[in-house]
Amino acid sequence: MPNTTCDLHLHTYYSDGRASPAEVLRHAASIGLKTVAISDHDSLKAMRESINMAAELGLELIPAIELTTRWGLCSSGEFNDDPPLEVDLLGYYVDPGDQEFLSFVQASFNDIRQRVSECCALLTRAGYPITIHDVEAENPRYPGPMRIISTLEHKGYANSWNNAIPLFTAQWPHVRPPKLSIEDAIQAIHTAGGISVLAHPIAIRCNEEWLQAEQLAPLVDAGLDGLEILHPSMDKEARQYFRSLAKQFELVETGGSDDHGWPGGFSRMGSELVTYDMVRAMYQRSKQYNN
Ligand SMILES: [Zn+2]
């Protein structure tokens, strides 16, 4: 049984998940979830495809997205030679029919495709010939980083998924950073009526250190609305730390399982203790961006 009736971080095959939106929603309903958000990377396609089905299944579906952005966090002060970080920014309650936002999301999708293509060229030079078309053959809907790893495995350059990961991680840092700045992404989410949330903030580090209050402050000034506190990558200590940061800056707290439906089914879905009070606070916060 899941821990909760809410899961606000799920993926489908419109980004790096395995399953269709229908399969994700059916599973969510079957384990007793009531409120879900499909937060695909750089795509709202699952959202648009899911609205009717979610209603039929009695699920509350919160429109969501996870944008791939760059943040110049470590490019100032003592780390000023460091390239921008790649940071995932969640958006909730965005209007999935907003044409301006849809073209913004399409640009973000085009950018990740170009960067994957660049990574393929680097891998080829390193002795692992691979093209963007190979990656698209793995998933034509979203040729993202995860599919580079599965392509490397399926081409026989590694004998398992786990052994293919280092081949990818050796090259990915040499690919240019995303074009989309996190500040612009926050603005675009607001314009589409949504709130912006830093996904799994434990992954954002300068010099191995967790994000500090003084580093977060400029992003709050830029309009950041929340932090994802409940995520499988964050242990108790991390949750406490980021919860205190959220409180300090009056940010909303969100959470979800980040279930990708693989390798072995939806093993994580519903595992994070997301409460309906959290959902309500997110919705309240989003109201200020609706006009
Ligand atoms: Zn995610």
Side-chain angles (χ1 to χ4, degrees), residues 4-6 34-35 60 62 93 274-281:
T4 178
T5 58
C6 312
K34 301 284 181 225
T35 303
E60 179 187 12
I62 298 173
Y93 293 105
V274 182
T275 66
Y276 205 75
D277 282 348
M278 293 166 81
V279 176
R280 221 173 274 129

Side-chain angles (χ1 to χ4, degrees), residues 21-195:
E23 289 171 294
V24 169
L25 293 177
R26 269 195 223 105
H27 185 80
S30 77
I31 62 171
L33 296 185
K34 301 284 181 225
T35 303
V36 294
I38 294 176
S39 54
D40 272 324
H41 296 279
D42 314 305
S43 172
L44 282 165
K45 293 199 175 101
M47 177 65 214
R48 290 153 68 83
E49 201 177 292
S50 302
I51 295 172
N52 291 341
M53 182 163 206
E56 279 164 30
L57 291 166
L59 285 168
E60 179 187 12
L61 182 66
I62 298 173
I65 191 147
E66 190 169 15
L67 289 166
T68 311
T69 74
R70 77 180 142 80
W71 187 9
L73 171 68
C74 316
S75 314
S76 59
E78 60 181 304
F79 307 117
N80 60 13
D81 285 335
D82 289 16
L85 294 180
E86 180 173 335
V87 171
D88 289 337
L89 183 73
L90 292 157
Y92 290 103
Y93 293 105
V94 287
D95 175 1
D98 182 318
Q99 287 306 319
E100 206 182 313
F101 191 62
L102 282 171
S103 43
F104 187 88
V105 169
Q106 183 63 42
S108 193
F109 174 90
N110 294 345
D111 191 48
I112 190 88
R113 189 183 177 282
Q114 269 180 23
R115 294 173 65 229
V116 165
S117 197
E118 226 180 87
C119 190
C120 291
L122 293 174
L123 280 159
T124 301
R125 222 173 298 155
Y128 308 102
I130 162 178
T131 68
I132 183 73
H133 305 296
D134 297 326
V135 182
E136 278 176 331
E138 296 275 322
N139 182 5
R141 302 170 194 90
Y142 189 84
M146 296 278 266
R147 306 296 176 161
I148 298 180
I149 298 169
S150 54
T151 307
L152 290 167
E153 182 192 353
H154 295 152
K155 282 199 162 255
Y157 301 139
N159 58 8
S160 69
W161 167 270
N162 280 339
N163 289 339
I165 293 174
L167 304 182
F168 164 75
T169 52
Q171 303 303 329
W172 190 248
H174 304 295
V175 172
R176 68 159 172 80
K179 280 184 188 150
L180 174 60
S181 76
I182 193 162
E183 294 86 357
D184 286 349
I186 289 171
Q187 280 314 310
I189 288 168
H190 287 172
T191 307
I195 58 166

